[in-house]
Amino acid sequence: MRVKVPATTANLGPGFDTLGMALELYNIVELTALPQGELVVEIEGEGISNIPRDDSNIVIKIIRQVYAKAKMQPCGFKLKLINHIPVARGLGSSAAALVGGAVAANELCGNVLTDQEVLELVTTFEGHPDNVAPALFGGVVVSAEVQNAQGSEVVSRKIPPPYGLKALVAIPDFHLATKKARSVLPRQVPFEDALFNLSRVSMVIMAFVHNDWELLGKVMDDRLHQPYREELIPGMKDVFAAAYDAGAIAAVLSGAGPTLIAFARENTEDIARAMKEAFERHGVKATIQELKPS
Ligand code: HSE
C-alpha cells in the first residue's frame, strides 16, 4: 500500500489550532503487512537519523492503533517512509507521517474505518487537528474539537485549495520542536487579544471561501501565538516586513515555526529573495521554496 500525504501549514495567522492548508510537497508512506511479527522500518530523507526504527516509531504506533480499532489480528509490518517534508520546521511532518500510516493501515484493513474515525484517531495522537485535517482531506480545512454525548469529536469543513495563490516558505536551517514552541505560550490572554483573533480568523475564512486576496491581506494577523514565539525565531518580524515590502499579500508563522510563510500572486522571486536576505541579516540560513496549495 502506497500513500502520498501533503505538507501542511497550520494556523494561517489568527487560526491557532483550527486552520490549516495543504501544500504541494509530499511524503510517501509504503506499508506491507508481514505474516510473522517482524518489523522492518526504512526511512529516506533529510534529518531522519533520530527517527526510531522500532515500536516506538509514531507511524508504527498509529498503524497498530488502526489495526486495534479495526479489530484486525496484530501482525508484522514493512514500513518505508520517503520524507520530503522537513522535520520539526512547522510544515506538518509529524501529521503527514501519522496520516500516511493511518490511511495505509486502514487500506490494509479493508477501509473499515471512516475518514472521520481516521481524523479523530490521528488528532488524538497529535493533540490538535489543524495539520491533521488538511493532510487527510487537502485544501484549506477549518477544524475544531467539540464535546458530544460520547465525549468529544472533531468537526471539520474543507474549502477547496485557493486558486492562483502561491506560498513562499522560508525554512530556517534549525529545528524547533512544537512542544517548545507551545511552552512559550501564555495560559491566559487579554480579552482584546481574543477579540482581535476572533474577528480576523472569521475574515480569513471568508477570504479563502471567496478567493478574496485583498481581504486576506488585511486580516492575516495574530495576537495569540506569533508575538510569543518571536523570541524563538531570530528575525521573524524583519522577514515578515521584507516579504510585505516585496509585495506579499500576507506573511505569517507556519504552524509552530520556525518556517515563515508568505502568500502572493505575483513578485514571488522578489519576495523569496527578500525573505532569505532578511533571515541572513539575523544570521539564519534559510531555504526558500515556492509551493502551491494542494
Ligand atoms: N497549531 C499548532 C501550533 C501547530 O501552533 O502549536 C503545530 O503543530
Side-chain angles (χ1 to χ4, degrees):
M1 192 49 56
R2 193 169 205 265
V3 177
K4 191 173 146 189
V5 192
T8 47
T9 181
N11 302 327
L12 296 173
F16 183 74
D17 276 2
T18 188
L19 286 188
M21 175 196 284
L23 297 169
E24 278 191 351
L25 173 67
Y26 301 93
N27 278 1
I28 310 288
V29 175
E30 291 176 356
L31 183 67
T32 316
L34 301 176
Q36 312 299 332
E38 198 190 352
L39 192 60
V40 181
V41 178
E42 292 172 8
I43 312 176
E44 284 178 13
E46 172 260 356
I48 56 163
S49 51
N50 293 333
I51 301 177
R53 267 74 168 167
D54 57 17
D55 270 311
S56 63
N57 182 294
I58 59 166
V59 186
I60 293 295
K61 285 187 182 175
I62 200 83
I63 289 166
R64 296 212 190 281
Q65 286 190 12
V66 169
Y67 265 63
K69 197 167 169 59
K71 301 195 169 32
M72 295 285 285
Q73 201 60 24
C75 62
F77 296 102
K78 178 168 189 245
L79 171 69
K80 184 169 181 185
L81 303 174
I82 304 167
N83 291 352
H84 298 115
I85 306 169
V87 176
R89 300 305 219 297
L91 288 167
S93 63
S94 75
L98 292 167
V99 166
V103 169
N106 194 31
E107 290 269 351
L108 291 182
C109 296
N111 284 318
V112 174
L113 306 189
T114 61
D115 283 352
Q116 180 65 23
E117 286 172 316
V118 171
L119 172 67
E120 290 183 354
L121 198 65
V122 180
T123 298
T124 303
F125 201 106
E126 178 83 347
H128 36 85
D130 51 341
N131 290 106
V132 176
L136 188 59
F137 300 127
V140 175
V141 184
V142 188
S143 49
E145 287 187 87
V146 298
Q147 305 307 308
N148 64 15
Q150 284 73 45
S152 71
E153 65 181 297
V154 180
V155 287
S156 68
R157 291 295 182 269
K158 174 179 168 174
I159 305 165
Y163 180 74
L165 194 68
K166 293 167 191 159
L168 292 149
V169 289
I171 310 168
D173 66 348
F174 64 89
H175 295 170
L176 176 55
T178 299
K179 200 172 167 189
K180 180 162 186 206
R182 291 178 88 85
S183 74
V184 299
L185 302 180
R187 306 286 304 163
Q188 292 176 330
V189 294
F191 187 81
E192 57 267 30
D193 288 355
L195 177 59
F196 181 96
N197 267 58
L198 184 62
S199 55
R200 275 147 188 87
V201 74
S202 311
M203 285 297 161
V204 166
I205 295 166
M206 291 304 281
F208 281 117
V209 167
H210 295 293
N211 287 333
D212 185 343
W213 311 135
E214 195 189 334
L215 175 62
L216 190 75
K218 292 179 182 172
V219 295
M220 213 175 203
D221 201 0
D222 164 79
R223 285 193 190 164
L224 292 188
H225 69 110
Q226 292 189 172
Y228 305 100
R229 287 170 164 172
E230 196 187 332
E231 62 179 270
L232 302 172
I233 303 154
M236 187 179 100
K237 264 195 175 163
D238 283 352
V239 177
F240 287 162
Y244 281 111
D245 283 350
I249 292 168
V252 291
L253 186 57
S254 181
T259 292
L260 306 182
I261 185 164
F263 293 99
R265 302 198 65 192
E266 49 204 20
N267 302 329
T268 53
E269 280 181 20
D270 293 345
I271 298 165
R273 195 177 324 107
M275 292 174 87
K276 191 175 175 64
E277 288 173 0
F279 256 140
E280 272 168 9
R281 287 195 289 277
H282 290 267
V284 176
K285 210 166 156 264
T287 307
I288 317 288
Q289 284 191 42
E290 183 176 322
L291 300 172
K292 286 193 196 129
S294 169

